[in-house]
Amino acid sequence: MALLEVKNLKTYFFTDEGVVKAVDGVSFEIEEGKTLGVVGESGCGKSVTARSIIKLLGTTGRIVSGEILYNMDGKVVDLAKFSKEEIRKVRGRHIAMIFQEPMAAFSPVYTVGDQIIEGMVYHFKISREEARERAIELLRRVGIPKPEKMIDAYPFEYSGGMRQRAMIAMALSCNPRLLIADEPTTALDVTIQAQVLDLLRELQKDYNMSIMMITHNMGVVAEMSDHVVVMYLGRVVESAPVEELFYNPKHPYTSLLLRSIPVVGKRVERLEVIEGDVPDPRNMPKGCRFHPRCPYRMKGLCDEKEPVEVEVGPKHKVSCFLYGGTEDGAS
Ligand SMILES: Nc1ncnc2c1ncn2[C@@H]1O[C@H](COP(=O)(O)OP(=O)(O)OP(=O)(O)O)[C@@H](O)[C@H]1O
Ligand SMILES: [Mg+2]
């Protein structure tokens, strides 16, 4: 079975201005040792999906329904039902996360070493001396020069690329089964971006780790993923093995995203090539959420009903009326 299986996840934010349905019925699986790419425009719910898995949702965010089934050393548990205390034992040890901005992962007032060591002491109940030895080895492994010295430096003493590496070292320090990488290279320059992606692939092989790779960059997706899910406004609109997605995209939104593929290695921050804005999640369009921007919308259908997911090939699913997907089975 899969290492992680997310089923019909709904995560909402309850704000003064109303309810934001950031993630509104998302399902996907991540296989052991494999990489799932997650793509979609800004605001479609990629980060909230990721943060739901380890329950970093702040005070206003809540998982309102769905399951997050995690194969925890052979026993399947539902992380969606875990308490704060229970999820703390999963975070870092089983599932670790790296972010676009490593400053957000590190506290500025402690040395990088202290922060890596703290997690290892908490999860493994080992001595600080032993944890320190392991931390130095890890920093060396991710390519930090003079790790026995840099371990006692503060995050601000690292350069951007080195800090990113240090964050990866911290994420890997407790041997997680799943690494969630949320735009891990967006803020880096092209050469360092390529180095960090190579490093992640190498570490994945060595530790047989699964990766959830969130990115705007279709080039990065193509290079890193085994399977890809395409998100639009809090939903998965298409899900397919990576080659299938690139050579045989079905959803009109996926095709448009693919047209936005950047030159390899070029830095992309935002996908702004698709006409029309992403609608406000507080005010979802009726029918298919993509219909106001869709070149193939069918009047009376796409603006009225919501398509259900249909299987169009092996492990290839799409939610679009062009392929059937009416609830009563008619197409
Ligand atoms: N704390 C919050 N309170 C209210 N709304 C939120 C909060 N965090 C996220 N959202 C909203 O949830 C939706 C999904 O946000 P999310 O950060 O997951 O998007 P994303 O796909 O990661 O975008 P990006 O590519 O820009 O990182 C957005 O509409 C966002 O404004
Ligand atoms: Mg995000």
Side-chain angles (χ1 to χ4, degrees):
M1 78 154 268
L3 179 70
L4 188 85
E5 189 179 350
V6 171
K7 284 182 165 174
N8 206 14
L9 177 70
K10 299 190 180 184
T11 303
Y12 296 174
F13 291 95
F14 297 86
T15 71
D16 292 341
E17 291 87 53
V19 179
V20 181
K21 298 181 176 180
V23 173
D24 202 20
V26 161
S27 304
F28 59 84
E29 286 181 16
I30 305 180
E31 303 286 335
E32 183 127 11
K34 301 278 196 242
T35 298
L36 177 79
V38 180
V39 288
E41 282 163 295
S42 196
C44 69
K46 304 182 296 295
S47 296
V48 175
T49 300
R51 288 194 278 128
S52 300
I53 297 170
I54 48 173
K55 292 233 176 92
L56 289 178
L57 295 168
T59 49
T60 55
R62 212 169 69 224
I63 296 175
V64 296
S65 66
E67 293 171 300
I68 303 173
L69 304 178
Y70 173 62
N71 188 344
M72 195 169 196
D73 308 320
K75 184 170 166 252
V76 177
V77 294
D78 184 0
L79 300 181
K81 297 200 174 61
F82 267 33
S83 68
K84 271 198 180 128
E85 197 45 48
E86 288 172 310
I87 205 78
R88 234 164 87 85
K89 298 204 171 89
V90 172
R91 231 184 261 154
R93 174 72 186 89
H94 288 269
I95 304 175
M97 189 156 170
I98 56 177
F99 306 87
Q100 174 175 346
E101 185 32 75
M103 267 318 213
F106 287 112
S107 156
V109 299
Y110 297 102
T111 63
V112 165
D114 278 342
Q115 297 181 59
I116 298 180
I117 290 164
E118 187 197 18
M120 285 196 272
V121 170
Y122 173 79
H123 287 296
F124 294 136
K125 317 276 179 265
I126 54 175
S127 69
R128 287 193 72 81
E129 291 66 38
E130 197 181 341
R132 186 181 165 86
E133 283 310 306
R134 285 205 214 173
I136 292 173
E137 272 326 298
L138 262 168
L139 290 174
R140 195 189 316 279
R141 181 76 179 77
V142 298
I144 305 275
K146 300 205 191 84
E148 48 295 291
K149 191 164 156 269
M150 287 309 282
I151 190 167
D152 295 318
Y154 288 88
F156 67 83
E157 298 177 88
Y158 282 66
S159 70
M162 285 301 148
R163 218 180 285 136
Q164 201 78 12
R165 286 165 185 267
M167 178 167 58
I168 293 171
M170 179 156 80
L172 296 181
S173 62
C174 298
N175 261 323
R177 303 311 309 137
L178 171 65
L179 179 71
I180 301 175
D182 192 356
E183 309 271 0
T185 60
T186 311
L188 301 174
D189 78 44
V190 176
T191 327
I192 299 173
Q193 176 176 316
Q195 287 173 7
V196 169
L197 293 178
D198 283 345
L199 173 66
L200 281 177
R201 255 195 307 244
E202 217 178 281
L203 294 165
Q204 172 173 43
K205 245 203 325 215
D206 293 355
Y207 298 107
N208 190 34
M209 183 173 69
S210 305
I211 298 181
M212 178 175 176
M213 172 63 77
I214 298 172
T215 176
H216 284 111
N217 188 324
M218 293 302 267
V220 171
V221 172
E223 216 176 295
M224 298 292 291
S225 315
D226 298 291
H227 194 93
V228 184
V229 295
V230 179
M231 287 187 66
Y232 188 79
L233 268 184
R235 292 267 172 91
V236 171
V237 295
E238 185 159 10
S239 165
V242 68
E243 293 199 353
E244 174 78 0
L245 190 94
F246 277 81
Y247 293 116
N248 192 16
K250 294 293 188 197
H251 201 284
Y253 179 63
T254 309
S255 307
L256 287 167
L257 269 187
L258 287 171
R259 271 195 232 153
S260 74
I261 275 196
V263 182
V264 172
K266 196 181 150 230
R267 187 171 140 175
V268 211
E269 313 245 343
R270 290 274 177 274
L271 282 168
E272 282 172 330
V273 286
I274 301 175
E275 234 178 274
D277 291 328
V278 179
D280 181 349
R282 267 167 296 243
N283 190 13
M284 294 289 184
K286 196 176 168 216
C288 167
R289 289 165 190 213
F290 186 58
H291 91 262
R293 299 166 78 193
C294 183
Y296 305 102
R297 65 175 169 263
M298 296 172 270
K299 232 179 153 9
L301 181 59
C302 304
D303 51 356
E304 291 288 338
K305 289 182 157 193
E306 284 193 50
V308 294
E309 197 170 67
V310 287
E311 204 150 336
V312 288
K315 294 190 175 177
H316 189 172
K317 293 179 211 155
V318 63
S319 300
C320 175
F321 289 121
L322 291 173
Y323 309 95
T326 48
E327 252 146 306
D328 50 18
S331 56

